[in-house]
């Protein structure tokens, strides 16, 4: 019988519930259990695909084309749980489905209500991901206990445990125990209130994970246990990690979190196999070299906008024993200040995906800098499209070359709307999405990296290399390194006579793992490492984000 773990959060948002849930999944999986991960998000958008990165951070795309919350990235990086549409539901999706049923007359004349109709729908979504062969489902509830929006989800998981059997369900609550400088102590009251809120609706947490910036003394643990109606052993600390997020699973293991879950749910005992993860942390702490990579994008100041890209760079750094300092540079700054001041000294340059015209010229300038100065370059999605624009303008001499996304009347529309998009009017879930096969060509950097000709990578775009410019650009030294299987869409371009210049229409960052760096990121970082510049970067690049 599938066991269910529900992870809720309290006191404040941004406590790292996604990371904690992923870590729990990882520890259980490494005890030999089959785990499935799921996130329920309380916002009304049907999915985050239509939300600005400023609102929501990165949109994480799955193989099946669903556009999901970035926490699913943590799930994929930390566990082997296969993810699909069933792994992320929002209030919008739940209501949409219930309203569609109502329109079809499925409720037989009844008044449709939050309880039971919405909560039933939520319970179905939870049940739907478990079943045969699945030992544990971990369901993370987005938002914070006490939010109006979260109520139906909390009510649904309460009902679920009641119906499914409390012995088969476990509630884990992640909370904040802040340090109050003026009082000189850690404060447990917010945690008491947050648990109080859960208990009011009938949920008694089985385990509390307390986020703190320092050790949680025994006395505070006892106090929390007493007020929150838990044994002291079930109150565990999760201290801030100033080194790396990859420490989280190890620190939860040290606090016997997996053992507590196994005991509570009657799962087999055992120790997680975690040596490779410890080895990874060892490598992280003992780099042999240091390089700097500039990520030049529209949303570079937002730490979550290119989350999977930053992570993938780190994975490749781990593989090549390199500590990587990442400089996050807004492409508009390049427009204002020019590439020289901002980019000099970087060992590699990456231009990520994006939408809309703002900052495009800065990206094109950045790519010109990387191409002309022979700096290893990786372009992703819009980054690839900008690379084509740059090449068309500055190598082929096609003045005004552009994408029709930014200039409908461009004289040289080297990037244009995909044919299949011509009649699409709705915005949500209508791009070319999800895993698509690309065929790599011989004698390309891409083939060197992957080592095989057919690759399956995740896409999210409406625009594409305009085939009417293929011949002209190829004749001038642009390499079409991969196309879709029927050769109709260009998937990768490279530049001849450049140490490493690869730009891809898809998103390799969604398939990189800490223990298994993506081949393209690996190739990029290897090229950057071997080309390491002597002069230091002028814009003191930051260390890769750790949360
Ligand atoms: N805006 C471009 C397109 O829709 C690129 C999309 C992206 O970078 N994900 O094709």
């Amino acid at each position: 019988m599938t066991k269910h773990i529900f992870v809720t959060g309290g006191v404040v948002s941004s406590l790292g519930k996604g990371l904690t849930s992923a870590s729990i999944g990882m520890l259980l999986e490494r005890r030999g259990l089959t785990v499935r991960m799921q996130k329920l998000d309380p916002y009304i958008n049907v999915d985050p695909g239509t939300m600005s990165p400023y609102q929501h951070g990165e949109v994480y795309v799955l193989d099946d084309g669903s556009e999901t919350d970035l926490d699913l990235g943590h799930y994929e990086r930390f566990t082997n749980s296969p993810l699909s549409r069933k792994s992320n539901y929002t209030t919008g999706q739940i209501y949409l489905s219930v309203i569609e049923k109502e329109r079809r007359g499925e409720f037989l004349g009844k008044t449709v209500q939050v309880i039971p109709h919405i909560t039933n729908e939520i319970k179905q979504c939870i049940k739907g991901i478990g079943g045969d062969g699945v030992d544990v489902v971990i369901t993370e509830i987005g938002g914070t206990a006490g939010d109006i929006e979260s109520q139906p989800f909390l009510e649904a998981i309460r009902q679920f445990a009641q119906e499914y059997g409390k012995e088969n369900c476990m509630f884990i609550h992640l909370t904040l125990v802040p340090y109050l400088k003026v009082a000189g102590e850690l404060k447990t009251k917010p945690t008491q209130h947050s648990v109080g809120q859960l208990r009011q609706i009938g949920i008694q947490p089985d385990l509390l994970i307390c986020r703190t910036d320092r050790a949680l003394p025994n006395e505070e643990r006892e106090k929390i246990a007493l007020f929150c109606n838990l044994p002291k052993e079930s109150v565990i600390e999760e201290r801030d990690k100033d080194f790396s997020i990859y420490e989280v699973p190890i620190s939860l293991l040290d606090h016997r979190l997996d053992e507590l879950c196994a005991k509570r749910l009657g799962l087999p005992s055992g120790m997680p196999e975690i040596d490779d993860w410890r080895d990874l942390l060892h490598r992280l702490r003992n780099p042999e070299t240091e390089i700097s990579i500039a990520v030049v994008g529209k949303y570079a100041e937002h730490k979550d906008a290119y989350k999977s890209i930053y992570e993938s760079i780190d994975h490749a750094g781990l593989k090549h024993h390199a500590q990587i300092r990442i400089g996050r540079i807004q492409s508009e700054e390049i427009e204002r200040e020019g590439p020289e001041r901002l980019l000099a000294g970087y060992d590699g340059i990456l231009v990520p995906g994006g939408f809309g015209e703002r900052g495009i010229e800065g990206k094109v300038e950045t790519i010109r800098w990387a191409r002309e100065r022979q700096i290893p370059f990786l372009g992703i999605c819009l980054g690839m499209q900008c690379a084509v624009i740059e090449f068309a303008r500055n190598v082929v001499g096609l003045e005004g070359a552009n994408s029709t996304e930014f200039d409908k009347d461009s004289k040289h529309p080297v990037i244009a709307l995909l044919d299949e998009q011509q009649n699409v009017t709705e915005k949500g879930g209508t791009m070319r999405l999800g895993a698509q096969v690309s065929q790599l060509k011989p004698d390309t950097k891409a083939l060197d990296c992957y080592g095989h000709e057919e690759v399956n990578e995740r896409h999210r775009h409406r625009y594409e290399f305009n085939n009417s410019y293929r011949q002209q650009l190829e004749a001038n030294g642009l390499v079409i390194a991969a196309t879709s299987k029927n050769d109709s869409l260009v998937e990768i371009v490279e530049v001849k006579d450049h140490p490493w210049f690869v730009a891809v229409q898809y998103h390799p960052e969604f398939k990189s793992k800490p223990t298994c760096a993506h081949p393209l990121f690996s190739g990029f970082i290897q090229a950057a490492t071997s080309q390491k510049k002597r002069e230091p970067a002028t814009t003191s690049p930051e260390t890769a984000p750790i949360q």
Side-chain angles (χ1 to χ4, degrees), residues 277-298:
W277 204 264
R278 288 193 195 280
D279 175 54
L280 183 138
L281 278 166
H282 176 78
R283 268 182 292 147
L284 202 57
R285 286 184 193 283
N286 299 286
E288 287 166 13
T289 174
E290 185 181 297
I291 61 165
S292 58
I293 299 292
V295 175
V296 183
K298 178 173 169 182

Side-chain angles (χ1 to χ4, degrees), residues 351-357 360-361 363-365 367 377-393 401-407 412-418 421 431-432 459-466 473 478 489-494 501-507:
V351 175
F355 297 83
E357 198 182 356
I360 288 297
E361 294 306 319
K363 290 179 193 173
V364 172
E365 269 304 290
I367 295 166
F377 171 78
L378 177 59
I380 293 179
C381 206
L382 183 60
M384 177 267 204
Q385 298 176 356
C386 288
V388 173
I389 295 170
E390 191 280 319
F391 194 89
R393 286 184 193 170
N402 214 332
S403 162
T404 53
E405 182 178 0
F406 317 121
D407 180 3
H412 295 292
V414 288
I415 304 292
L417 198 63
L418 280 157
Q421 291 284 323
M431 287 188 240
R432 180 176 182 238
H459 293 65
R460 183 172 187 249
H461 63 124
R462 288 188 205 283
Y463 293 83
E464 177 59 60
F465 189 112
N466 182 347
L473 268 61
L478 192 77
L489 303 173
V490 172
E491 295 281 11
I492 308 182
V493 298
E494 297 181 5
F501 189 109
V502 178
V504 294
Q505 183 54 77
Y506 51 79
H507 291 270

